[in-house]
Amino acid sequence: MDAFVSAPTPLKVFGRGHYACTRCKASKIKCSGEKPACANCKLVDKGHLCHYPLRDRKIVIMESDLNKLQAQLKHMEEMLKLQGPSVTPGSPPDPWPTIQSRDHVPDLPADSYLLADAENDFVPYKLLMLCAHHLPPQFYSVKLINAVCQTYSLEFYLVDGEQIDALVAEIYGFFAASNLLEKSHPATLPPMSPVPLCHFFSLLAFAEQLLNLSLDPLSLSVLVQSPAKKVPGKDFFSIATKLFHLSYEQPSIQFIQSLVILGLFACNLNRYNTVYNFFGVALRSAVANGYHRRMEPPVNLGAEELERHKVYEEKTKRLWWSIFVVDNIWAARMNMPVHIDYTDTDVALPTEGPVIRLKDTYDAESLECNVHLVKYLAKFNKLIYGPNVRTMSVNYITTDSMNQKLLVKNILLCIDDIVLQYEEVTLSPQKKKNMLLLPDRNLANLFLRYNQLIILVVEPLFSLIFDESSAANIEDIDAVFLAISRGVAAATRTVLIFLKLYEYNKLFVLGFWDSRHLFSALMILILASVVGCDSDNCTKAVALLTYMAENNNINAKNYLHKVEVVHGYLNEMPELSLNLDWSCRISDTIAQKAETFKAEQHDVFFNPFAEIGNTLPALFKNLSRNQSVTLLHDELGFHSFSRHTREKLLIISKSIQSWDNYSGLPIHLSGTARCPPMLAPNSIRSGNQSM
């Protein structure tokens, strides 16, 4: 331990500079204090008998030096405790226990107590025992990892297809050779890094959540649907987080992939801040490695080395854009700033440049469509849901009217931008494909994210049309209702997609985003039903949400309760006629589920854009272009509503908007001076923090 703890420099020393040796003291003569022998002992040839007594001197040192020494000592004691039960802080320890073999010992400075990356690259014995205890049969792990490879790993670079089989074989070979469960004490083990283990267990956790499967603990060979009280993947997730170390100076691709997977799993645990942090660390780790900048190959590389460099560049490009997409999507969900802007990176897009084909089924085209989508998402989220516009002008005064006019202007510009630039250009080829013929959900996920973007953009308009005092701030009624109709169409397409996913067994029953997108669409359809739109899709959406909640989807349970709250408020208004059939089950809508879509069924075509476009609801079509703003509420029938009803509708619409971001921050529809009224927090089962 002396190698790690340096002696402090005393500020002041109390006592003699030196003490007499034992012979001089016994003879009562003055000692010179020389070491190893004083002058008197040398003179009589007794230098070998010259010894000095050990005496403590009182010294004064800096408090910061003392705290540093105590921190170093505490850190070393904790490290020794992790090496095995036989090591105690009071016993002289072996500086490098034989639990794991090491190739080298890092040369740390004397005043450093920070671990190098090499010090993180081992797994303590107790944690290895925990991994061995929860290691499932290999066939089960292969099934789970294949599920991730055939779903999310097609869109995002979560798994290295060239190395995953070798990784599984290495892990099972390691535990088979070590035979940990049959040993009662630590033994010398071959090295095992926590990073591949963390990646492995995080994949198992995420896959169990996707499939809603668990392994029968009795037979260890039968796959069963998870019981209602069991959270699939929770045990694997717990192990993966224990294996995770944040203090890697040079994080690997596998390390960053593990962070993304852990974040995706935590989405469905109501751990929203945790997800934001996981994605943030993943993105910043990628930035620290330089993945956000275009990579140039080193000079004077041979043909084989150049090929390896191109493969590595392709992997980092895939990983970078994957992190960029998931971080932007989650930041918009949380109404928080993104960790990096699109303009801060010059990496080629997934399909740009020479695309290196690797041994996997990764879809670069799908990822690129998502990259372009989240560019708009980040921009629109900042324009509509961000803070008010500020200027440096001393005379600048914000007003409710100015805020509302600016909001409407931003919304209309965003809608035109995304429809003309993204839907009609990037999304146009995808609108002609048969979603059912694809073996994965790439296209369905892309359509769902696009619909969600439309919903987020147009949602604030409902508060404006429900607020009679805001009617004067709507300058272009036709444009406003066209935007609302696009939102209603997007919500309808979302419900139709989920009905087909359920029918063909592609619904992620425990998936966070499936429940999230369905809830957002349902809220828009409920608001639209107030102004006369068909509510049949509302009942179907409620049936789907109920099905997911009954299968232990935590977020679906919370969302379903919010629907109950909104429905209860609407039923208190006699002027409204929204009737949701809560007894309806999804099996009543879709009587028989297909096991899978057969390739020979080419006559069965489904694309949500072919089912419903962006057409105006019939009620909205009757509005004349030259209609006066003051007649807006009369045309919608609002003149027959009581003042109480109009106020309740406004509260509901604003509450729905606040639910669309984690912190419950309102959009500035009512100015900066006051917060709009919301539904009472105690009417929500778990409170806003769990939503």
Side-chain angles (χ1 to χ4, degrees), residues 617-635:
L619 181 64
F620 298 161
K621 289 182 178 180
N622 297 327
L623 295 174
S624 64
R625 182 171 296 278
N626 298 321
Q627 183 180 8
S628 172
V629 175
T630 57
L631 299 178
L632 173 62
H633 286 71
D634 291 343
E635 188 70 27

Side-chain angles (χ1 to χ4, degrees), residues 391-503:
T391 71
M392 299 299 294
S393 174
V394 178
N395 299 322
Y396 177 79
I397 299 176
T398 180
T399 63
D400 291 0
S401 177
M402 186 201 72
N403 287 333
Q404 292 173 2
K405 288 182 179 179
L406 180 61
L407 177 65
V408 174
K409 178 182 177 181
N410 289 340
I411 290 174
L412 298 181
L413 289 175
C414 291
I415 284 293
D416 290 341
D417 194 11
I418 192 172
V419 171
L420 297 177
Q421 300 297 325
Y422 184 80
E423 181 179 328
E424 297 185 3
V425 178
T426 305
L427 206 61
S428 181
Q430 313 299 328
K431 295 164 67 174
K432 302 176 183 179
K433 296 180 179 179
N434 187 353
M435 195 180 78
L436 300 178
L437 281 176
L438 300 178
D440 51 74
R441 282 191 35 164
N442 287 11
L443 188 60
N445 292 339
L446 179 63
F447 288 156
L448 290 171
R449 295 182 187 118
Y450 175 73
N451 295 335
Q452 182 71 12
L453 175 57
I454 296 293
I455 290 172
L456 289 177
V457 171
V458 304
E459 200 172 52
L461 293 177
F462 282 94
S463 295
L464 292 180
I465 66 172
F466 290 158
D467 188 358
E468 191 172 0
S469 63
S470 304
N473 298 320
I474 302 177
E475 299 175 347
D476 191 341
I477 298 177
D478 281 350
V480 168
F481 278 101
L482 177 61
I484 291 177
S485 70
R486 294 188 184 277
V488 176
T492 304
R493 290 196 300 266
T494 293
V495 175
L496 294 177
I497 290 173
F498 280 123
L499 290 173
K500 286 296 180 181
L501 292 177
Y502 170 82
E503 183 178 356

Side-chain angles (χ1 to χ4, degrees), residues 49-95:
L49 299 177
C50 184
H51 299 289
Y52 291 88
L54 296 176
R55 296 192 179 185
D56 288 336
R57 295 185 298 172
K58 184 180 180 181
I59 64 174
V60 179
I61 64 172
M62 295 291 292
E63 184 180 5
S64 59
D65 290 341
L66 180 61
N67 294 336
K68 184 178 180 180
L69 288 173
Q70 291 175 340
Q72 292 174 351
L73 180 61
K74 182 179 179 181
H75 177 75
M76 294 304 301
E77 289 179 349
E78 292 175 351
M79 290 299 301
L80 292 175
K81 289 179 181 179
L82 292 176
Q83 306 306 316
S86 62
V87 180
T88 58
S91 61
D94 182 358

Side-chain angles (χ1 to χ4, degrees), residues 244-385:
F244 173 75
H245 294 292
L246 187 59
S247 55
Y248 280 95
E249 181 66 19
Q250 295 180 329
S252 62
I253 289 179
Q254 203 171 58
F255 173 83
I256 300 174
Q257 288 174 326
S258 301
L259 280 167
V260 177
I261 299 171
L262 291 174
L264 291 173
F265 180 88
C267 287
N268 205 39
L269 300 180
N270 281 353
R271 308 282 299 181
Y272 290 178
N273 281 330
T274 301
V275 178
Y276 187 71
N277 293 334
F278 272 135
F279 290 161
V281 174
L283 189 136
R284 293 189 181 278
S285 298
V287 171
N289 285 353
Y291 296 165
H292 68 303
R293 301 302 305 271
R294 193 180 295 270
M295 190 179 300
E296 297 293 336
V299 297
N300 301 325
L301 290 182
E304 186 176 348
E305 293 176 329
L306 182 61
E307 186 64 24
R308 285 200 300 266
H309 175 82
K310 290 181 179 179
V311 170
Y312 178 73
E313 183 181 9
E314 176 67 22
K315 292 180 179 180
T316 59
K317 180 174 71 172
R318 294 180 179 188
L319 182 60
W320 168 252
W321 288 121
S322 300
I323 303 171
F324 181 83
V325 170
V326 297
D327 180 66
N328 274 270
I329 292 175
W330 192 255
R333 168 67 186 94
M334 298 281 288
N335 194 16
M336 292 183 177
V338 296
H339 292 96
I340 193 170
D341 190 76
Y342 181 75
T343 58
D344 296 327
T345 177
D346 61 354
V347 178
L349 291 171
T351 62
E352 286 183 341
V355 179
I356 307 299
R357 301 298 178 183
L358 305 179
K359 295 180 180 179
D360 53 30
T361 54
Y362 162 82
D363 187 359
E365 182 181 353
S366 175
L367 180 58
E368 184 158 334
C369 288
N370 281 283
V371 170
H372 290 302
L373 181 65
V374 298
K375 287 192 304 181
Y376 292 100
L377 179 61
K379 174 184 177 182
F380 300 162
N381 189 64
K382 187 175 182 179
L383 279 175
I384 298 173
Y385 292 88

